Amino acid sequence: MLDLIIIGAGPAGMSACLYASRAGLDVLILDGSAPGGKLNVTAQIENYPGLKPTPGPEIAFTMYESAMNFGAKMAYEEALDIKDHGDYKEVITAKQTYQAKYVLIATGTKERQMNLEKENELVGRGISYCAVCDGPFFKEQDVAVIGGGNSALEEAMYLATLCHKVHLVVRRDVFRADKVIQDRLSKVENIEVHFKRKPKEILEQNQKVCGLLIENSDDQTTEELKVNGIFPFIGLDPMTQCAKSLNIVSENGYIDANENMETAVKGIFVAGDVRNKQLRQVVTATNDGAIAGQYIASLK
Ligand code: NDP
């Protein structure tokens, strides 16, 4: 039996893996995708202490190297369910069932959808939730970014380096993003901000996005933006599917923990963006992971 299974190889999971395996625990880290989580879709990280502005995927790679440096194993499998058997736990994937004394949930969050008609069928045909991955397909074209938070503004600025024009559609008359990011955005000439506008309808031709209808929230009039790409960055939803049967997901969808990252179920821990907390950043995710990894190691 393993000592610890970590579900999710983002900054929280990898940090926990580093601390726990370095302290001698037999650790398996599970993730259906490449290690790094949201780092892999972030153009530049500029607020991780001690690091110069660095592309997210580069940090993901070095974090993975240090996480695996002390004998931990990684399996590219998605955890579907967790069973609590008291002094041991089971993690079920599509391929097999793993057993461990402790489980750490570090599954993070996923991008929220606009829930507009045709949104799903046009993913990869003009709708994208990842500017770093798909931005180059829209070189010299016009695109729309939806949202007024840090993600929307940062991704709009990244897209503005590639695209002819970026329409930024914000539902209120103010941004939610940090002031430093707003100031930077105001200097980018090929971004047009549309305040008090909501996306209303995706326009499509030959199964590809050809425009976006936006609605004025004051008078409900509509306007068509002629764009080939639409990038919604309207918030994040916690990924807690694998924890559903444990009954630890709180009303707002996130998982509560104490300062040692212990959930209400003994031996089950949570770290990173999926934890109920105020500030979701790479640095707070690695912080959670370090605390969890070290604390779990102290229990052995
Ligand atoms: P946020 O929740 O911060 O912002 C979401 C934005 O989308 C808000 O402007 C919100 O409007 C808008 N919105 C929500 N729902 C809709 C909708 N249905 N239609 C139109 N607009 C909508 O999400 P982010 O993904 O930007 O950020 C998530 C977390 O990650 C935050 O804590 C953020 O600070 C952090 N982050 C930090 C970064 C950094 O520090 N460099 C970079 C990226 C993210 P309203 O304001 O009206 O609610």
Side-chain angles (χ1 to χ4, degrees), residues 41-248:
V41 295
T42 306
Q44 194 97 311
I45 301 290
E46 60 172 24
N47 53 359
Y48 195 86
L51 279 190
K52 292 181 182 145
T54 309
E58 202 176 307
I59 303 178
F61 186 73
T62 46
M63 255 190 207
Y64 177 68
E65 279 185 331
S66 43
M68 305 314 279
N69 221 7
F70 297 94
K73 299 213 166 46
M74 161 115 200
Y76 289 87
E77 292 172 52
E78 195 181 329
L80 303 176
D81 198 6
I82 305 167
K83 297 250 180 278
D84 175 33
H85 299 287
D87 54 4
Y88 79 99
K89 323 288 171 197
E90 282 181 332
V91 177
I92 295 142
T93 74
K95 283 190 190 160
Q96 55 195 302
T97 297
Y98 293 99
Q99 292 185 339
K101 286 186 202 131
Y102 308 106
V103 171
L104 172 68
I105 301 164
T107 41
T109 54
K110 68 170 186 303
E111 288 71 22
R112 191 170 295 153
Q113 295 204 310
M114 297 181 292
N115 290 328
L116 291 182
E117 218 177 294
K118 301 187 196 144
E119 183 174 356
N120 277 328
E121 63 193 69
L122 291 171
V123 171
R125 295 172 169 274
I127 303 282
S128 168
Y129 304 90
C130 176
V132 176
C133 324
D134 298 328
F137 295 120
F138 299 94
K139 262 189 185 151
E140 304 304 332
Q141 300 180 37
D142 288 2
V143 298
V145 169
I146 320 300
N150 284 336
S151 301
L153 270 63
E154 288 196 340
E155 302 308 318
M157 285 189 279
Y158 171 71
L159 287 167
T161 64
L162 303 168
C163 301
H164 171 252
K165 182 167 187 174
V166 178
H167 294 274
L168 182 56
V169 180
V170 183
R171 69 177 175 183
R172 286 188 293 151
D173 58 353
V174 288
F175 291 120
R176 182 182 286 271
D178 297 343
K179 185 159 182 313
V180 60
I181 297 175
Q182 293 185 34
D183 290 346
R184 208 172 295 151
L185 183 105
S186 67
K187 297 190 184 91
V188 183
E189 282 177 1
N190 61 337
I191 298 180
E192 184 180 348
V193 182
H194 303 262
F195 281 118
K196 286 187 157 187
R197 298 290 189 280
K198 282 190 298 193
K200 189 175 166 65
E201 190 184 336
I202 300 166
L203 306 175
E204 162 235 348
Q205 199 172 31
N206 301 329
Q207 293 179 313
K208 280 189 171 173
V209 169
C210 68
L212 175 70
L213 214 56
I214 55 172
E215 184 183 83
N216 183 320
S217 16
D218 283 337
D219 57 16
Q220 278 71 53
T221 53
T222 55
E223 180 190 342
E224 182 184 333
L225 301 177
K226 289 204 183 311
V227 291
N228 302 104
I230 302 173
F231 292 80
F233 294 105
I234 58 171
L236 303 165
D237 289 319
M239 303 226 275
T240 54
Q241 204 51 42
C242 68
K244 283 281 187 286
S245 58
L246 293 173
N247 227 358
I248 53 172

